[in-house]
Structures are given as C-alpha cells and as structure tokens.
Amino acid sequence: MTDTLTLVRPDDWHLHLRDGERLAAVVGHSARQFARAIVMPNLTPPVTTVAAAQRYRERILDALPGDNDFGPLMTLYLTDETSAQEIDRAAASDHVYACKLYPAGATTNSDAGVTDIRRCDDALARMAEHGMPLLVHGEVTDDVVDIFEREAQFIDRVLAPLCERVPALRVVFEHVTTKAAVQFVESLPGRLAATITPQHLLLTRNDLLAGGLRPHHYCLPVLKTFEDRDALITAATSGSAQFFLGTDSAPHARHEKESDCGCAGTYSAHAAIELYAEAFDRAGALDKLEGFASLHGPGFYRLPVNRDTITLTRQNWTVPASFPFAGNELVPLGAGTDLAWKMV
Ligand code: DOR
Ligand code: ZN
C-alpha cells in the first residue's frame, strides 16, 4: 500500500475567491496547495474588462498571506455586450487567460450573463482566432427544464451547435456532472476539455437529499446519480488529458447556505488535493492523480508545468467544522469527517 505520494505541484483550473474580507479569509487555503488558479469573474459587479481583471488580480496578490508566489490566472465574464476589441485586449494582456460563459440566471451572480449565445458571436470568433479558451457553465436556464436535466439539455441546445458553428473554439466544459457531458467531451478531443470537482467525484444527490437536506452539499450544477458519479470517476482516473482538476470551491457564509433559499456553492479549497486523493484512492487510481491534478490542465492551457512538488501522506485527520469567514462562518466540504490523506 502506498503511504506517500509526491506530485508535481497542482493547479486549480476553476476557483471562486470572492473579494475584500472574504477573499482574505480563503485565498491562503488555495495558495497552500496550488501554484496557480483560474479565478472566476462572478463578482458583483462582474469582472467584464481586462482593466477590472487586472485590478482584481492585484487585490488577490495583496490578500495572500506571507511570502507566497501563488499565481492568479484571470478570466473575463462574458456578457451580451462583450466586444471583439475587449477580447483582443485580453489576448494581449499578461494576466487574462480565458472568458467565462454564464448563461443569464444559471447560478450565483450570473444575472449579467449571456441571454443568447448568438449575441457573443463576434467575441467567440475572436477568441477562436486567439486560441483563448471559453469556459462554460453548462446548464440551460429554462424554468420548465428539470434541474437534473439542465446540463444534458445544454449540450444539445447550446454547446454542440456552438462547437459546430465555431470549430476552432477551444472550450472547457466546467464542473461536468453527468455521463452525457463526459461522453460529449470525449467526442471532441483536442478542442474540448472538462474540469471535475471533488464533490462530484465523492458525492451523489443522495448526499444532498436522502436522510435530511444537506445545504452544504448544494452546488450548481447539482449533484447527480450514482451512474453519473461513476462516469466522472472513470473519466478523471482514465489518464485522458481532456479531464483535469477544477475545484469550483465557492465559499458562502453558513447563514447564506442554511436558509429558506440557500446559495449554491460548496467550499473545498481547505483540503482540495486531499479530497481528490480520497476519490482517486477509493477508485484504486492514485497513480493517475498527478496527471489529472498537475499535468493535463497546463497542457490544455498551453502553460508550463510547475517545477516544484507537494507530498501527501496517508494519515487520518479530521476536517474542521468551520472556518472564520469575514465575521461569519464557512462550513467546508467534509466538515467534521476524517480524510485519509494529508498534505505535508
Ligand atoms: O455552486 C456554484 N457556486 N456554482 C456556480 O456555478 C457558482 C458558484 C458560486 O459562485 O457560488
Ligand atoms: Zn464555479
């Protein structure tokens, strides 16, 4: 049995860091493990310009604890109004790596998102020219579509037609949650990749709804079936370079989750690599963790692989029940439970 695991230092290809005091409360957790992270732009107001992304990056660097060389990789929030010129500025900038598509109304702070993908045709064509990845929150927002079907419907209604219309566009299907999404990604090698979260590898919708409602397991896209979870595990542990680590760690204060209308988002940055190790260990695939966590992401983003390493040891430890969060509490994924791997 392996008891020590040394990996090239991983990156998080999908992270919510928030802003202000909340940013300061969480950024150290990510910086402890990851060299870089793709930072989501769904602030209020959203980060829609290169200038705003550069200012946000400065605030992230200022919030880092101590001597840390964590690298925030910035993204722009696409809107109906994003111009081809803004895409040119992004491609020319040193710090913007991608644009994020939130269908309007799909999730937290997506009200300013895209109402009809055809309104982004100019921006998307320009992204394709620059080789800049489009990061997709893949859910339709149609009220009459069942919440468990929203990802599969998005493939048919939006993503497949988009990939056909703009064949040169490189796309990351973010936080895939279904077997259908895995199959779609695999059908377009080279131009399509996907991130997978720890919660979607470890949990199913039973962990949200069976035996009591667990609001800290509520995220979007919502947890799915055993069959879907198993398809994600198979993809993540397959060694395919199309699948890589993206936590979607999304902090919300306890009272915003434990509420009549709780916010979507699961916080995993406190123990992200340990949670992934747990999932890969359960699948008997610890040897595939380094590719998923540290190699496939830089490959898709055409960035260098990190030069240093991290080490995990097999050692039981208990996840804290909560963390301080700007005068509130933040309840992390796995709160109060034991994990088998610990980063040293
Ligand atoms: O659960 C989620 N939380 N899904 C998202 O897409 C957004 C995120 C957030 O920002 O809280
Ligand atoms: Zn997200």
Side-chain angles (χ1 to χ4, degrees), residues 108-129:
T108 307
N109 293 344
S110 63
D111 295 349
V114 171
T115 63
D116 179 346
I117 187 77
R118 299 307 298 258
R119 301 209 165 138
C120 299
D121 277 354
D122 290 350
L124 295 171
R126 196 60 61 87
M127 289 174 64
E129 280 171 38

Side-chain angles (χ1 to χ4, degrees), residues 213-241:
L213 180 64
R214 291 182 184 76
H216 299 287
H217 291 166
Y218 173 58
C219 62
L220 288 171
V222 73
L223 295 167
K224 301 290 191 312
T225 65
F226 287 100
E227 190 186 3
D228 291 311
R229 199 241 345 235
D230 291 349
L232 300 178
I233 293 171
T234 303
T237 62
S238 66
S240 163

Side-chain angles (χ1 to χ4, degrees), residues 309-328:
T309 58
I310 62 163
T311 297
L312 302 170
T313 59
R314 193 185 291 281
Q315 177 192 335
N316 261 8
W317 63 288
T318 307
V319 176
S322 69
F323 294 101
F325 189 49
N328 292 295

